[in-house]
Amino acid sequence: MPKVIYYVASSLDGFIATDDNRLDWLLQFGFEAFQDHYERFMADVGAVVMGAETYRWVRAEQPESWEYTQPCWVLTHGEEPVPAQGDVRFASGDVRKVFEAARDAAGEGNIWVVGGGNVAAQFAEAGLLDELWVTYMPVALGSGRRLLPVSGPTAPMRMIASTQFDGGAAELRYAVAKKP
């Protein structure tokens, strides 16, 4: 059964970006240590969901290309430019409708909730998030965009795996408890 996975990097103090949406703190670590792991993860992804801020960041970093080969839903309330290539769809409203469309498009593949934290929180609060994969980077930010800004406490999650990377990063994978 395909899963909805929030796969993300975080500072040790629980932030995924600075207050002004910068990722310099993360990019300083490079990607080499994580590349094989990321490619294995991506091999099982059939659809992608992200928020408008994440979409704008990706487009600003790679204005002439689109790295995702899977259908991608962008949650937004406004108009966004569409990349020349790729299957990008824009949606607003209840994430359950986005989930249904992404699930149908993903086939046997998983749905990757790329970000941000607000999008992942919407999936979690709707009972749609199956797993949380967080790579904690060895740095603290002090403030910024929260990892998972839910409106209240979640049920306890169960750790299902961990991976240690060169340079001090560690990925923790959790199964998200479903609401009864």
Side-chain angles (χ1 to χ4, degrees):
M1 180 77 162
K3 299 174 187 168
V4 177
I5 302 171
Y6 180 31
Y7 176 73
V8 65
S10 174
S11 64
L12 290 175
D13 53 349
F15 299 105
I16 61 172
T18 62
D19 288 317
D20 59 353
N21 289 323
R22 296 185 55 88
L23 295 178
D24 298 353
W25 64 272
L26 174 61
L27 300 176
Q28 71 180 327
F29 294 99
F31 294 103
E32 189 172 303
F34 312 99
Q35 193 62 40
D36 289 343
H37 189 76
Y38 174 76
E39 289 174 7
R40 283 192 303 274
F41 172 79
M42 286 302 291
D44 291 332
V45 173
V48 175
V49 178
M50 66 180 66
E53 290 180 11
T54 300
Y55 178 75
R56 285 185 213 111
W57 187 90
V58 169
R59 297 289 294 137
E61 289 295 306
Q62 302 170 351
E64 301 302 320
S65 65
W66 182 248
E67 72 175 88
Y68 303 106
T69 58
Q70 305 85 347
C72 175
W73 280 260
V74 178
L75 301 181
T76 183
H77 296 291
E79 301 267 331
E80 301 290 340
V82 179
Q85 69 284 355
D87 182 358
V88 178
R89 307 164 192 198
F90 300 96
S92 61
D94 192 337
V95 296
R96 288 174 189 87
K97 291 182 182 180
V98 172
F99 163 74
E100 291 169 4
R103 180 196 59 209
D104 292 346
E108 295 298 312
N110 294 322
I111 299 169
W112 177 20
V113 177
V114 177
N118 291 333
V119 172
Q122 289 177 56
F123 272 80
E125 290 182 335
L128 300 172
L129 193 62
D130 296 303
E131 294 182 7
L132 176 63
W133 295 24
V134 184
T135 301
Y136 286 98
M137 305 305 291
V139 64
L141 299 181
S143 68
R145 304 295 179 155
R146 291 177 32 218
L147 170 66
L148 191 63
V150 293
S151 60
T154 68
M157 298 180 196
R158 181 177 50 87
M159 186 185 288
I160 54 177
S162 64
T163 304
Q164 183 175 342
F165 295 101
D166 290 342
E171 178 188 81
L172 304 180
R173 295 185 200 174
Y174 293 95
V176 176
K178 299 295 182 175
K179 295 178 182 179

